[in-house]
């Protein structure tokens, strides 16, 4: 079994490095009822570290499933004002926000994609302002994984929670002794980010089996990785684990074909072996070995859902890649391989953003969904003034 000490280090890294909790700061935690033991530990550590107030918003995918299967469409798309107001009142008062995530890949698999789509869109519209606050780093936030029984069963074929905890801590680079390895890793990511920012490439070229894609970068793009700063310049780590160095593509500058290298779990449904073809930024054709209808729903969320909003480089030295497993959770799977995201770009990925996505060359959408393309045969080059600089060769960073 996993030791109390290792779990405490994980709670501390989420609080101290993740949201960088400050004395008397409010903290809001979103968690599943399956995470209650870890939530209790996290709340205890948060107050010990000086948090002023900790508020937990519980969720349960099984309860949601019943509503999605049996309630009327009116009920499914109704989001109460007080739900949104509650989240807003915390964030407007400077709260930090932690989301603990598990995986419920199969729990929603019998909910019709169209009903799931209605529900998701309604929440996205209602919580738009809340999402914008976090995407603009107005509040410090952190997403981290915590095991649930279905997740363990999905990954290993048995409900081995201890094993899943071990893998989660391994991927986070946290153990009984602390989290020094994570801090060293964050330094390496920062070095690569700094190189990419000083090179200021015009585009990236992706080559490999089933992959021939040119991705122009947004004119004033900025590469980010690991540690980010909130609007007051206070550092925080939005994702644990994190392996990516990422930026925003130019909305209309993506051309070519790319194949997924891993299944994409979207709202509990699995989309597998799919490819997408881009022309001037927009998806003009696609197919999937499995889950094509779900992919179609995703791309039809709104106009921006069929354009890219993120380009992220990850190499094969990632501990998630080394484990060689699908975790059925984007937080982990996106850190196994280089990826893109359909939908909304992070405004923090461009310099001098004035609120106008179109003018900045950025895509805007209600959705943001990552999908993996990286593999051990992939080469990525930076293009500038007719030169082609290798960044990743055979899946590995060369800078
Ligand atoms: Zn990403
Ligand atoms: Zn993303």
């Amino acid at each position: 079994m996993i030791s109390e000490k290792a779990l405490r280090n994980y709670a501390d890294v989420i609080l101290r490095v993740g949201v960088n909790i400050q004395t008397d700061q409010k903290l809001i935690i979103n968690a599943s009822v399956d995470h209650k033991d870890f939530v209790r530990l996290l709340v205890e550590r948060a107050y010990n570290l000086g948090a002023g107030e900790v508020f937990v918003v519980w969720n349960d995918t099984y309860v949601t499933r019943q509503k999605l299967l049996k309630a009327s469409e009116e009920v499914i798309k109704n989001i109460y004002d007080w739900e949104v107001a509650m989240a807003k009142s915390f964030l407007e008062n400077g709260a930090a926000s932690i989301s603990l995530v598990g995986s419920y890949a199969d729990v929603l698999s019998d909910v019709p994609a169209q009903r799931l789509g209605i529900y998701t869109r309604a929440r996205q519209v209602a919580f738009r302002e809340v999402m914008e606050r976090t995407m603009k780093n107005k509040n410090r936030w952190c997403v981290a994984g915590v095991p649930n029984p279905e997740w363990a069963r999905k990954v290993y074929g048995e409900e081995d929670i201890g094993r899943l905890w071990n893998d989660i801590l391994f991927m986070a680079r946290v153990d009984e002794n602390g989290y020094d390895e994570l801090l060293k890793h964050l330094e390496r990511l920062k070095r690569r980010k700094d190189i990419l920012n000083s090179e200021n490439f015009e585009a990236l070229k992706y080559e490999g089996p089933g992959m021939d894609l040119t991705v122009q970068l947004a004119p004033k793009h900025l590469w980010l990785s690991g540690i980010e700063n909130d609007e007051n310049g206070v550092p925080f780590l939005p994702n644990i684990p994190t392996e990516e160095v990422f930026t925003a593509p130019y909305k209309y500058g993506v051309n070519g074909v790319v194949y997924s290298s891993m299944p994409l779990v979207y709202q509990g449904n699995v989309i597998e072996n799919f490819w997408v073809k881009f022309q001037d930024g927009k998806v003009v054709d696609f197919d999937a070995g499995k889950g094509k209808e779900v992919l179609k729903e995703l791309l039809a969320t709104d106009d921006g859902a069929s354009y890219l909003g993120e380009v992220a480089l990850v190499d094969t030295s990632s501990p998630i890649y080394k484990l060689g497993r699908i975790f059925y959770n984007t937080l982990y799977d996106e850190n196994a391989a280089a990826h893109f995201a359909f939908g909304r770009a992070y405004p923090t990925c461009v310099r001098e953003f004035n609120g106008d996505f179109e003018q900045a060359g950025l895509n805007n959408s209600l959705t943001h969904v990552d999908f993996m393309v990286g593999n051990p045969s992939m080469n990525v080059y930076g293009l500038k003034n007719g030169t082609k600089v290798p960044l990743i060769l055979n899946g590995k960073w060369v800078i």
Side-chain angles (χ1 to χ4, degrees):
M1 262 321 273
I2 200 81
S3 75
E4 270 301 311
K5 212 170 161 195
L7 288 180
R8 204 183 319 131
N9 287 337
Y10 188 52
D12 283 4
V13 85
I14 292 169
L15 291 160
R16 301 175 77 157
V17 183
V19 294
N20 194 356
I21 194 81
Q22 310 281 309
T23 305
D24 290 333
Q25 193 182 7
K26 289 180 190 297
L27 172 66
I28 186 161
I29 300 173
N30 295 287
S32 160
V33 293
D34 288 322
H35 301 150
K36 75 167 173 35
D37 293 341
F38 185 72
V39 169
R40 287 172 182 171
L41 175 64
L42 192 61
V43 170
E44 183 190 332
R45 298 302 295 172
Y47 280 116
N48 288 355
L49 290 169
E53 181 184 358
V54 185
F55 190 84
V56 182
V57 180
W58 298 102
N59 62 69
D60 183 3
T61 308
Y62 286 90
V63 171
T64 305
R65 175 175 175 272
Q66 289 302 320
K67 178 169 163 176
L68 291 178
L69 284 175
K70 294 165 188 170
S72 70
E73 245 180 65
E74 278 312 302
V75 169
I76 287 177
K77 66 179 163 202
N78 175 45
I79 312 293
Y80 290 100
D81 291 345
W82 52 260
E83 260 189 273
V84 182
M86 198 273 296
K88 264 169 73 176
S89 80
F90 268 93
L91 296 175
E92 282 164 3
N93 281 300
S97 153
I98 292 173
S99 293
L100 300 179
V101 295
S103 180
Y104 297 86
D106 292 332
V107 180
L108 299 178
S109 62
D110 55 350
V111 173
Q114 182 252 355
R115 284 171 71 85
L116 201 51
I118 291 172
Y119 171 76
T120 308
R121 255 191 304 279
R123 291 196 74 80
Q124 285 165 334
V125 171
F127 282 92
R128 180 165 201 144
E129 245 181 278
V130 170
M131 183 186 171
E132 277 178 1
R133 283 194 76 92
T134 49
M135 287 191 85
K136 287 178 184 162
N137 291 351
K138 282 185 177 293
N139 294 78
R140 295 192 300 283
W141 54 281
C142 179
V143 182
V146 174
N148 57 284
E150 298 75 14
W151 189 7
R153 192 177 341 118
K154 184 78 184 169
V155 177
Y156 310 112
E158 55 180 338
E159 286 183 11
D160 195 339
I161 295 285
R163 183 172 180 191
L164 187 50
W165 263 127
N166 270 322
D167 280 351
I168 283 175
L169 296 189
F170 171 73
M171 292 185 281
R173 295 180 163 87
V174 174
D175 61 24
E176 285 198 343
N177 301 316
Y179 46 83
D180 278 1
E181 287 305 316
L182 172 64
L183 300 179
K184 279 187 222 160
H185 162 67
L186 293 172
E187 275 302 310
R188 287 194 294 271
L189 289 181
K190 182 181 179 311
R191 185 174 54 79
R192 292 189 182 115
K193 175 191 78 175
D194 290 345
I195 292 172
L196 289 167
N197 279 326
S198 71
E199 290 284 352
N200 197 26
F201 292 113
E202 291 154 10
L204 299 185
K205 174 86 180 156
Y206 289 72
E207 293 174 358
M211 188 188 278
D212 184 5
L213 192 73
T214 306
V215 179
Q216 249 179 283
L217 301 176
K220 290 186 174 170
H221 73 272
L222 196 61
W223 288 92
L224 301 177
S225 76
I227 298 282
E228 295 185 21
N229 290 327
D230 73 5
E231 62 174 1
N232 301 314
V234 182
F236 71 106
L237 182 60
N239 286 345
I240 300 175
T242 183
E243 302 290 326
E244 61 179 350
V245 183
F246 65 101
T247 191
Y250 170 54
K251 179 177 178 182
Y252 303 106
V254 184
N255 285 285
V257 179
V258 70
Y259 276 73
S260 65
S261 60
M262 288 182 180
L264 164 62
V265 181
Y266 179 65
Q267 297 170 340
N269 290 284
V270 181
I271 309 167
E272 252 174 311
N273 297 321
F274 62 97
W275 58 263
V276 271
K277 182 179 174 189
F278 294 91
Q279 197 180 319
D280 299 330
K282 192 179 168 63
V283 175
V284 289
D285 199 7
F286 63 92
D287 200 3
K290 188 180 165 192
K292 188 177 179 183
E293 278 307 302
V294 186
L295 180 57
K296 198 173 158 191
E297 273 289 320
L298 159 59
L299 294 173
T301 308
D302 57 19
D303 287 344
S306 54
Y307 288 84
L308 294 185
E310 178 190 347
V311 36
L313 298 175
V314 178
D315 89 344
T316 51
S317 68
S318 153
I320 298 128
Y321 183 81
K322 283 183 188 159
L323 286 176
R325 288 185 174 278
I326 303 297
F327 281 90
Y328 299 93
N329 180 320
T330 303
L331 177 64
Y332 294 92
D333 296 330
E334 83 156 327
N335 279 300
H339 57 273
F340 299 108
F342 296 118
R344 190 181 170 88
Y346 290 96
T348 47
C349 286
V350 288
R351 291 183 301 271
E352 302 152 22
F353 182 67
N354 66 2
D356 188 335
F357 280 73
E358 203 63 26
Q359 196 186 55
L362 298 184
N363 186 30
N364 197 2
S365 168
L366 289 172
T367 197
H368 176 103
V369 179
D370 299 285
F371 64 100
M372 304 306 115
V373 301
N375 65 63
S377 322
M378 178 186 74
N379 298 332
V380 183
Y381 303 89
L383 307 182
K384 187 170 70 170
N385 306 326
T387 61
K388 195 173 167 188
V389 181
L391 304 175
I392 291 180
L393 293 179
N394 294 315
K396 279 237 180 347
W397 279 110
V398 289
I399 60 167

